[in-house]
Amino acid sequence: MSILNSIKWPSLIGTIALYFWASLLPAHAGNDVPNSSLLGTLPLSKIHGAADGVMLCEEAISFAEQSMGIPRKLLHAIALGESGRGLPQNISQSEQSLEGMTLWPWTVMAEGKGRYLNSKFEALKEVKKLRHKGVSNIDVGCMQVNLYYHGEAFKNIEEAFNPIHNVAYAATFLTNLRYRHGSWTKAVKYYHSGNASKHNPYAKKIISLWQKLQRETSPNRTKIPQTASTN
């Protein structure tokens, strides 16, 4: 799982972009999820269970890929590499994911151990317990954003778990890395770590997941663009 520990929040422009596109997300179907145009103060207090969180993570990921020029399914592959798990019996198989797998919005990684909690409340409780023990290097959410290095991007822990905010931050961070390092492959590497011994195996895993997603969810496979374009 990623610790996203090599770069702080990239720029004011990135911050503006994050909230701009996040505010454009269409309202979630049903009455249990508040309209995403209220992101400024939105606690997503009614999104408790995993099913709601998984759906919102996937919607946010698809929107980010389309609106920010991220190769189709690449951000989803990162999410599966970060918070992916076997499909629980109470969660329906998503057409967006690999068979038998799902990303998990209430994932907490700390002390070298991944924790797949059943709800937002349990995840928040786990983070508070870890912090009480003095643990600060903690990854959270479907994109596993690190609270020690990137916690300042969120108002509080609950917002960091908010699927829209979690994905929005990760997508903007990845896009900034792509323009900084010149390719999506390098962006994937540095999303995880600045250490080559860590990020090279990580990139191989993510690209493998990305290729599987391409095969299972699209009849046409594409290559990850290697050179950043300003067009």
mmCIF file of all heavy atoms in Angstrom, residues 121-160:
data_model
loop_
_atom_site.group_PDB
_atom_site.id
_atom_site.type_symbol
_atom_site.label_atom_id
_atom_site.label_comp_id
_atom_site.label_asym_id
_atom_site.label_seq_id
_atom_site.Cartn_x
_atom_site.Cartn_y
_atom_site.Cartn_z
ATOM 1 N N PHE A 121 -17.434 4.410 10.385
ATOM 2 C CA PHE A 121 -17.283 4.610 11.822
ATOM 3 C C PHE A 121 -16.164 3.736 12.393
ATOM 4 O O PHE A 121 -15.368 4.191 13.221
ATOM 5 C CB PHE A 121 -18.604 4.321 12.545
ATOM 6 C CG PHE A 121 -19.692 5.308 12.224
ATOM 7 C CD1 PHE A 121 -20.923 4.861 11.782
ATOM 8 C CD2 PHE A 121 -19.479 6.677 12.341
ATOM 9 C CE1 PHE A 121 -21.930 5.763 11.469
ATOM 10 C CE2 PHE A 121 -20.485 7.584 12.036
ATOM 11 C CZ PHE A 121 -21.708 7.124 11.598
ATOM 12 N N GLU A 122 -16.117 2.494 11.939
ATOM 13 C CA GLU A 122 -15.062 1.603 12.417
ATOM 14 C C GLU A 122 -13.694 2.081 11.950
ATOM 15 O O GLU A 122 -12.710 1.986 12.687
ATOM 16 C CB GLU A 122 -15.313 0.179 11.924
ATOM 17 C CG GLU A 122 -16.497 -0.507 12.582
ATOM 18 C CD GLU A 122 -16.646 -1.945 12.122
ATOM 19 O OE1 GLU A 122 -15.653 -2.526 11.632
ATOM 20 O OE2 GLU A 122 -17.761 -2.501 12.249
ATOM 21 N N ALA A 123 -13.632 2.592 10.725
ATOM 22 C CA ALA A 123 -12.359 3.091 10.190
ATOM 23 C C ALA A 123 -11.887 4.317 10.963
ATOM 24 O O ALA A 123 -10.706 4.435 11.309
ATOM 25 C CB ALA A 123 -12.513 3.424 8.708
ATOM 26 N N LEU A 124 -12.807 5.236 11.253
ATOM 27 C CA LEU A 124 -12.456 6.428 12.031
ATOM 28 C C LEU A 124 -11.982 6.039 13.435
ATOM 29 O O LEU A 124 -11.001 6.587 13.950
ATOM 30 C CB LEU A 124 -13.670 7.361 12.137
ATOM 31 C CG LEU A 124 -14.080 8.081 10.856
ATOM 32 C CD1 LEU A 124 -15.445 8.751 11.041
ATOM 33 C CD2 LEU A 124 -13.035 9.116 10.462
ATOM 34 N N LYS A 125 -12.659 5.082 14.018
ATOM 35 C CA LYS A 125 -12.281 4.602 15.350
ATOM 36 C C LYS A 125 -10.886 3.992 15.336
ATOM 37 O O LYS A 125 -10.081 4.208 16.259
ATOM 38 C CB LYS A 125 -13.312 3.574 15.837
ATOM 39 C CG LYS A 125 -13.074 3.087 17.251
ATOM 40 C CD LYS A 125 -14.182 2.120 17.675
ATOM 41 C CE LYS A 125 -13.951 1.593 19.081
ATOM 42 N NZ LYS A 125 -15.027 0.633 19.477
ATOM 43 N N GLU A 126 -10.568 3.250 14.270
ATOM 44 C CA GLU A 126 -9.252 2.610 14.159
ATOM 45 C C GLU A 126 -8.144 3.652 14.039
ATOM 46 O O GLU A 126 -7.080 3.527 14.672
ATOM 47 C CB GLU A 126 -9.223 1.684 12.947
ATOM 48 C CG GLU A 126 -7.934 0.911 12.759
ATOM 49 C CD GLU A 126 -7.690 -0.117 13.835
ATOM 50 O OE1 GLU A 126 -8.657 -0.506 14.533
ATOM 51 O OE2 GLU A 126 -6.534 -0.550 13.990
ATOM 52 N N VAL A 127 -8.380 4.687 13.248
ATOM 53 C CA VAL A 127 -7.369 5.743 13.108
ATOM 54 C C VAL A 127 -7.151 6.460 14.436
ATOM 55 O O VAL A 127 -6.008 6.734 14.830
ATOM 56 C CB VAL A 127 -7.784 6.753 12.016
ATOM 57 C CG1 VAL A 127 -6.854 7.970 12.021
ATOM 58 C CG2 VAL A 127 -7.747 6.094 10.642
ATOM 59 N N LYS A 128 -8.223 6.757 15.135
ATOM 60 C CA LYS A 128 -8.095 7.426 16.434
ATOM 61 C C LYS A 128 -7.334 6.546 17.426
ATOM 62 O O LYS A 128 -6.525 7.036 18.211
ATOM 63 C CB LYS A 128 -9.488 7.777 16.974
ATOM 64 C CG LYS A 128 -10.171 8.870 16.171
ATOM 65 C CD LYS A 128 -11.587 9.133 16.672
ATOM 66 C CE LYS A 128 -12.264 10.210 15.841
ATOM 67 N NZ LYS A 128 -13.662 10.461 16.255
ATOM 68 N N LYS A 129 -7.588 5.245 17.376
ATOM 69 C CA LYS A 129 -6.882 4.317 18.269
ATOM 70 C C LYS A 129 -5.393 4.289 17.951
ATOM 71 O O LYS A 129 -4.556 4.301 18.854
ATOM 72 C CB LYS A 129 -7.489 2.916 18.136
ATOM 73 C CG LYS A 129 -6.862 1.890 19.073
ATOM 74 C CD LYS A 129 -7.626 0.573 19.035
ATOM 75 C CE LYS A 129 -7.400 -0.152 17.725
ATOM 76 N NZ LYS A 129 -8.034 -1.511 17.739
ATOM 77 N N LEU A 130 -5.067 4.259 16.661
ATOM 78 C CA LEU A 130 -3.663 4.253 16.244
ATOM 79 C C LEU A 130 -2.955 5.539 16.669
ATOM 80 O O LEU A 130 -1.822 5.509 17.158
ATOM 81 C CB LEU A 130 -3.569 4.079 14.730
ATOM 82 C CG LEU A 130 -3.881 2.687 14.186
ATOM 83 C CD1 LEU A 130 -4.116 2.731 12.680
ATOM 84 C CD2 LEU A 130 -2.730 1.725 14.515
ATOM 85 N N ARG A 131 -3.617 6.660 16.475
ATOM 86 C CA ARG A 131 -3.016 7.938 16.862
ATOM 87 C C ARG A 131 -2.829 8.029 18.374
ATOM 88 O O ARG A 131 -1.860 8.616 18.849
ATOM 89 C CB ARG A 131 -3.882 9.094 16.351
ATOM 90 C CG ARG A 131 -3.726 9.324 14.844
ATOM 91 C CD ARG A 131 -4.482 10.540 14.384
ATOM 92 N NE ARG A 131 -3.984 11.017 13.097
ATOM 93 C CZ ARG A 131 -4.476 12.063 12.462
ATOM 94 N NH1 ARG A 131 -5.492 12.749 12.986
ATOM 95 N NH2 ARG A 131 -3.954 12.443 11.292
ATOM 96 N N HIS A 132 -3.752 7.447 19.114
ATOM 97 C CA HIS A 132 -3.630 7.436 20.564
ATOM 98 C C HIS A 132 -2.396 6.646 21.001
ATOM 99 O O HIS A 132 -1.768 6.953 22.010
ATOM 100 C CB HIS A 132 -4.892 6.829 21.192
ATOM 101 C CG HIS A 132 -4.897 6.852 22.692
ATOM 102 N ND1 HIS A 132 -5.056 8.013 23.420
ATOM 103 C CD2 HIS A 132 -4.752 5.838 23.603
ATOM 104 C CE1 HIS A 132 -5.015 7.734 24.712
ATOM 105 N NE2 HIS A 132 -4.826 6.427 24.847
ATOM 106 N N LYS A 133 -2.034 5.643 20.208
ATOM 107 C CA LYS A 133 -0.835 4.846 20.476
ATOM 108 C C LYS A 133 0.440 5.559 20.032
ATOM 109 O O LYS A 133 1.541 5.074 20.267
ATOM 110 C CB LYS A 133 -0.921 3.504 19.738
ATOM 111 C CG LYS A 133 -1.944 2.529 20.284
ATOM 112 C CD LYS A 133 -2.152 1.357 19.336
ATOM 113 C CE LYS A 133 -0.848 0.683 18.951
ATOM 114 N NZ LYS A 133 -1.065 -0.464 18.020
ATOM 115 N N GLY A 134 0.285 6.691 19.357
ATOM 116 C CA GLY A 134 1.446 7.433 18.880
ATOM 117 C C GLY A 134 1.814 7.133 17.438
ATOM 118 O O GLY A 134 2.845 7.597 16.953
ATOM 119 N N VAL A 135 0.975 6.350 16.734
ATOM 120 C CA VAL A 135 1.233 6.031 15.332
ATOM 121 C C VAL A 135 0.752 7.200 14.470
ATOM 122 O O VAL A 135 -0.401 7.629 14.588
ATOM 123 C CB VAL A 135 0.507 4.739 14.908
ATOM 124 C CG1 VAL A 135 0.759 4.444 13.436
ATOM 125 C CG2 VAL A 135 0.950 3.575 15.779
ATOM 126 N N SER A 136 1.607 7.714 13.613
ATOM 127 C CA SER A 136 1.229 8.850 12.766
ATOM 128 C C SER A 136 1.283 8.531 11.276
ATOM 129 O O SER A 136 0.644 9.203 10.469
ATOM 130 C CB SER A 136 2.138 10.052 13.049
ATOM 131 O OG SER A 136 3.502 9.722 12.831
ATOM 132 N N ASN A 137 2.042 7.501 10.900
ATOM 133 C CA ASN A 137 2.176 7.135 9.490
ATOM 134 C C ASN A 137 1.030 6.193 9.124
ATOM 135 O O ASN A 137 1.139 4.966 9.245
ATOM 136 C CB ASN A 137 3.528 6.479 9.248
ATOM 137 C CG ASN A 137 3.892 6.392 7.778
ATOM 138 O OD1 ASN A 137 3.069 6.657 6.913
ATOM 139 N ND2 ASN A 137 5.122 6.013 7.499
ATOM 140 N N ILE A 138 -0.076 6.768 8.686
ATOM 141 C CA ILE A 138 -1.314 6.015 8.465
ATOM 142 C C ILE A 138 -1.870 6.340 7.082
ATOM 143 O O ILE A 138 -2.010 7.506 6.720
ATOM 144 C CB ILE A 138 -2.371 6.373 9.537
ATOM 145 C CG1 ILE A 138 -1.814 6.172 10.953
ATOM 146 C CG2 ILE A 138 -3.636 5.535 9.335
ATOM 147 C CD1 ILE A 138 -2.712 6.753 12.042
ATOM 148 N N ASP A 139 -2.186 5.306 6.300
ATOM 149 C CA ASP A 139 -2.826 5.470 4.993
ATOM 150 C C ASP A 139 -4.314 5.189 5.132
ATOM 151 O O ASP A 139 -4.709 4.235 5.813
ATOM 152 C CB ASP A 139 -2.244 4.491 3.969
ATOM 153 C CG ASP A 139 -0.742 4.669 3.774
ATOM 154 O OD1 ASP A 139 -0.248 5.785 4.016
ATOM 155 O OD2 ASP A 139 -0.076 3.692 3.385
ATOM 156 N N VAL A 140 -5.136 5.989 4.444
ATOM 157 C CA VAL A 140 -6.585 5.814 4.592
ATOM 158 C C VAL A 140 -7.306 5.883 3.251
ATOM 159 O O VAL A 140 -6.849 6.522 2.308
ATOM 160 C CB VAL A 140 -7.187 6.873 5.543
ATOM 161 C CG1 VAL A 140 -6.543 6.810 6.918
ATOM 162 C CG2 VAL A 140 -7.063 8.284 4.948
ATOM 163 N N GLY A 141 -8.456 5.221 3.204
ATOM 164 C CA GLY A 141 -9.371 5.347 2.085
ATOM 165 C C GLY A 141 -9.064 4.466 0.895
ATOM 166 O O GLY A 141 -8.103 3.693 0.884
ATOM 167 N N CYS A 142 -9.893 4.599 -0.142
ATOM 168 C CA CYS A 142 -9.740 3.737 -1.308
ATOM 169 C C CYS A 142 -8.452 4.018 -2.068
ATOM 170 O O CYS A 142 -7.924 3.129 -2.739
ATOM 171 C CB CYS A 142 -10.944 3.862 -2.230
ATOM 172 S SG CYS A 142 -11.455 5.517 -2.648
ATOM 173 N N MET A 143 -7.891 5.228 -1.954
ATOM 174 C CA MET A 143 -6.626 5.554 -2.618
ATOM 175 C C MET A 143 -5.450 5.542 -1.649
ATOM 176 O O MET A 143 -4.330 5.835 -2.037
ATOM 177 C CB MET A 143 -6.721 6.914 -3.311
ATOM 178 C CG MET A 143 -7.806 7.029 -4.360
ATOM 179 S SD MET A 143 -7.738 5.785 -5.684
ATOM 180 C CE MET A 143 -6.099 6.022 -6.352
ATOM 181 N N GLN A 144 -5.694 5.223 -0.383
ATOM 182 C CA GLN A 144 -4.648 5.106 0.633
ATOM 183 C C GLN A 144 -3.754 6.355 0.713
ATOM 184 O O GLN A 144 -2.532 6.290 0.582
ATOM 185 C CB GLN A 144 -3.819 3.852 0.406
ATOM 186 C CG GLN A 144 -4.550 2.566 0.735
ATOM 187 C CD GLN A 144 -4.821 2.427 2.224
ATOM 188 O OE1 GLN A 144 -3.984 1.964 2.994
ATOM 189 N NE2 GLN A 144 -6.008 2.859 2.662
ATOM 190 N N VAL A 145 -4.376 7.477 0.954
ATOM 191 C CA VAL A 145 -3.658 8.734 1.139
ATOM 192 C C VAL A 145 -3.050 8.744 2.540
ATOM 193 O O VAL A 145 -3.710 8.402 3.524
ATOM 194 C CB VAL A 145 -4.605 9.933 0.943
ATOM 195 C CG1 VAL A 145 -3.879 11.244 1.215
ATOM 196 C CG2 VAL A 145 -5.176 9.933 -0.473
ATOM 197 N N ASN A 146 -1.790 9.157 2.626
ATOM 198 C CA ASN A 146 -1.083 9.124 3.896
ATOM 199 C C ASN A 146 -1.378 10.382 4.714
ATOM 200 O O ASN A 146 -1.180 11.507 4.254
ATOM 201 C CB ASN A 146 0.419 9.005 3.646
ATOM 202 C CG ASN A 146 1.201 8.838 4.933
ATOM 203 O OD1 ASN A 146 1.586 9.812 5.555
ATOM 204 N ND2 ASN A 146 1.436 7.603 5.329
ATOM 205 N N LEU A 147 -1.849 10.174 5.956
ATOM 206 C CA LEU A 147 -2.248 11.298 6.798
ATOM 207 C C LEU A 147 -1.062 12.100 7.323
ATOM 208 O O LEU A 147 -1.182 13.292 7.584
ATOM 209 C CB LEU A 147 -3.087 10.796 7.976
ATOM 210 C CG LEU A 147 -4.443 10.187 7.624
ATOM 211 C CD1 LEU A 147 -5.136 9.689 8.884
ATOM 212 C CD2 LEU A 147 -5.323 11.192 6.895
ATOM 213 N N TYR A 148 0.085 11.455 7.476
ATOM 214 C CA TYR A 148 1.254 12.161 7.999
ATOM 215 C C TYR A 148 1.766 13.184 6.988
ATOM 216 O O TYR A 148 2.062 14.328 7.334
ATOM 217 C CB TYR A 148 2.357 11.171 8.360
ATOM 218 C CG TYR A 148 3.598 11.829 8.920
ATOM 219 C CD1 TYR A 148 3.649 12.245 10.245
ATOM 220 C CD2 TYR A 148 4.730 12.044 8.124
ATOM 221 C CE1 TYR A 148 4.783 12.861 10.763
ATOM 222 C CE2 TYR A 148 5.854 12.657 8.629
ATOM 223 C CZ TYR A 148 5.879 13.058 9.957
ATOM 224 O OH TYR A 148 6.998 13.678 10.449
ATOM 225 N N TYR A 149 1.876 12.773 5.731
ATOM 226 C CA TYR A 149 2.438 13.637 4.698
ATOM 227 C C TYR A 149 1.390 14.483 3.977
ATOM 228 O O TYR A 149 1.719 15.530 3.415
ATOM 229 C CB TYR A 149 3.207 12.805 3.673
ATOM 230 C CG TYR A 149 4.453 12.178 4.246
ATOM 231 C CD1 TYR A 149 4.458 10.845 4.647
ATOM 232 C CD2 TYR A 149 5.620 12.918 4.394
ATOM 233 C CE1 TYR A 149 5.598 10.261 5.177
ATOM 234 C CE2 TYR A 149 6.762 12.346 4.930
ATOM 235 C CZ TYR A 149 6.747 11.022 5.321
ATOM 236 O OH TYR A 149 7.874 10.448 5.858
ATOM 237 N N HIS A 150 0.133 14.037 3.972
ATOM 238 C CA HIS A 150 -0.873 14.723 3.172
ATOM 239 C C HIS A 150 -2.135 15.069 3.950
ATOM 240 O O HIS A 150 -3.120 15.516 3.367
ATOM 241 C CB HIS A 150 -1.234 13.861 1.966
ATOM 242 C CG HIS A 150 -0.059 13.518 1.106
ATOM 243 N ND1 HIS A 150 0.430 14.347 0.132
ATOM 244 C CD2 HIS A 150 0.762 12.430 1.118
ATOM 245 C CE1 HIS A 150 1.483 13.789 -0.449
ATOM 246 N NE2 HIS A 150 1.703 12.636 0.137
ATOM 247 N N GLY A 151 -2.103 14.884 5.242
ATOM 248 C CA GLY A 151 -3.284 15.164 6.052
ATOM 249 C C GLY A 151 -3.737 16.607 6.000
ATOM 250 O O GLY A 151 -4.923 16.911 6.189
ATOM 251 N N GLU A 152 -2.809 17.523 5.724
ATOM 252 C CA GLU A 152 -3.145 18.948 5.682
ATOM 253 C C GLU A 152 -4.079 19.290 4.527
ATOM 254 O O GLU A 152 -4.660 20.377 4.498
ATOM 255 C CB GLU A 152 -1.866 19.773 5.564
ATOM 256 C CG GLU A 152 -1.100 19.530 4.281
ATOM 257 C CD GLU A 152 0.287 20.151 4.287
ATOM 258 O OE1 GLU A 152 0.918 20.205 5.362
ATOM 259 O OE2 GLU A 152 0.732 20.578 3.224
ATOM 260 N N ALA A 153 -4.230 18.385 3.584
ATOM 261 C CA ALA A 153 -5.131 18.629 2.447
ATOM 262 C C ALA A 153 -6.599 18.467 2.845
ATOM 263 O O ALA A 153 -7.479 18.839 2.074
ATOM 264 C CB ALA A 153 -4.804 17.677 1.304
ATOM 265 N N PHE A 154 -6.857 17.919 4.031
ATOM 266 C CA PHE A 154 -8.220 17.650 4.468
ATOM 267 C C PHE A 154 -8.535 18.406 5.754
ATOM 268 O O PHE A 154 -7.653 18.649 6.578
ATOM 269 C CB PHE A 154 -8.409 16.145 4.689
ATOM 270 C CG PHE A 154 -7.988 15.310 3.517
ATOM 271 C CD1 PHE A 154 -6.727 14.724 3.477
ATOM 272 C CD2 PHE A 154 -8.835 15.126 2.440
ATOM 273 C CE1 PHE A 154 -6.326 13.961 2.382
ATOM 274 C CE2 PHE A 154 -8.451 14.362 1.344
ATOM 275 C CZ PHE A 154 -7.191 13.787 1.314
ATOM 276 N N LYS A 155 -9.794 18.722 5.925
ATOM 277 C CA LYS A 155 -10.212 19.438 7.131
ATOM 278 C C LYS A 155 -10.092 18.561 8.369
ATOM 279 O O LYS A 155 -9.796 19.051 9.465
ATOM 280 C CB LYS A 155 -11.659 19.911 6.976
ATOM 281 C CG LYS A 155 -11.850 20.977 5.914
ATOM 282 C CD LYS A 155 -13.324 21.365 5.823
ATOM 283 C CE LYS A 155 -13.532 22.431 4.757
ATOM 284 N NZ LYS A 155 -14.976 22.783 4.627
ATOM 285 N N ASN A 156 -10.352 17.268 8.192
ATOM 286 C CA ASN A 156 -10.322 16.338 9.321
ATOM 287 C C ASN A 156 -10.208 14.912 8.770
ATOM 288 O O ASN A 156 -10.178 14.695 7.556
ATOM 289 C CB ASN A 156 -11.568 16.491 10.198
ATOM 290 C CG ASN A 156 -12.849 16.497 9.373
ATOM 291 O OD1 ASN A 156 -13.032 15.666 8.482
ATOM 292 N ND2 ASN A 156 -13.742 17.435 9.664
ATOM 293 N N ILE A 157 -10.152 13.944 9.677
ATOM 294 C CA ILE A 157 -9.993 12.545 9.264
ATOM 295 C C ILE A 157 -11.204 12.075 8.469
ATOM 296 O O ILE A 157 -11.066 11.342 7.489
ATOM 297 C CB ILE A 157 -9.788 11.634 10.489
ATOM 298 C CG1 ILE A 157 -8.555 12.059 11.280
ATOM 299 C CG2 ILE A 157 -9.609 10.174 10.050
ATOM 300 C CD1 ILE A 157 -8.387 11.307 12.586
ATOM 301 N N GLU A 158 -12.393 12.506 8.877
ATOM 302 C CA GLU A 158 -13.596 12.068 8.179
ATOM 303 C C GLU A 158 -13.563 12.507 6.713
ATOM 304 O O GLU A 158 -13.938 11.745 5.821
ATOM 305 C CB GLU A 158 -14.841 12.630 8.861
ATOM 306 C CG GLU A 158 -16.131 12.136 8.235
ATOM 307 C CD GLU A 158 -17.359 12.526 9.034
ATOM 308 O OE1 GLU A 158 -17.225 13.272 10.011
ATOM 309 O OE2 GLU A 158 -18.457 12.066 8.668
ATOM 310 N N GLU A 159 -13.092 13.728 6.465
ATOM 311 C CA GLU A 159 -13.003 14.198 5.087
ATOM 312 C C GLU A 159 -11.969 13.393 4.302
ATOM 313 O O GLU A 159 -12.133 13.153 3.111
ATOM 314 C CB GLU A 159 -12.656 15.679 5.042
ATOM 315 C CG GLU A 159 -12.689 16.243 3.635
ATOM 316 C CD GLU A 159 -12.513 17.746 3.588
ATOM 317 O OE1 GLU A 159 -13.532 18.460 3.716
ATOM 318 O OE2 GLU A 159 -11.362 18.208 3.447
ATOM 319 N N ALA A 160 -10.894 12.976 4.972
ATOM 320 C CA ALA A 160 -9.883 12.156 4.296
ATOM 321 C C ALA A 160 -10.462 10.819 3.851
ATOM 322 O O ALA A 160 -10.043 10.262 2.827
ATOM 323 C CB ALA A 160 -8.684 11.931 5.215
#
